[in-house]
Amino acid sequence: MFDSPKIVSYLRLSGVVDIEALSARLEKKLGKLEKEILSTSKRLSKPEFVKKADALFVEETKNNLVEA
């Protein structure tokens, strides 16, 4: 195996990207994801839910939470 040279480039995005709008959109998305993580964690903490739910679903959901 060999190391290839790394190229770093910078692009000026002022005037092309509305940073404030992008930031607001990302903050909103982050809030939704945080709520989803909390909700899923609460469901998985209930033994009744884990017993009734499909085992594969429970395992995949736990793995997704670990990655989050």
Side-chain angles (χ1 to χ4, degrees):
M1 209 145 212
F2 62 94
D3 285 327
S4 61
K6 294 185 170 107
I7 298 172
V8 178
S9 63
Y10 298 93
L11 301 173
R12 281 191 185 265
L13 298 177
S14 61
V16 177
V17 176
D18 184 348
I19 299 297
E20 288 180 20
L22 177 61
S23 178
R25 191 172 74 242
L26 292 174
E27 286 291 330
K28 184 177 178 181
K29 186 174 184 177
L30 178 61
K32 286 181 180 180
L33 291 172
E34 288 172 337
K35 286 180 184 178
E36 186 178 329
I37 289 169
L38 182 62
S39 171
T40 302
S41 296
K42 285 181 181 179
R43 278 188 277 152
L44 288 175
S45 71
K46 296 179 183 177
E48 315 86 51
F49 174 80
V50 175
K51 273 194 244 181
K52 291 179 182 178
D54 179 62
L56 181 60
F57 171 77
V58 171
E59 187 64 29
E60 287 177 354
T61 303
K62 285 181 180 180
N63 289 338
N64 289 342
L65 280 176
V66 169
E67 292 175 11

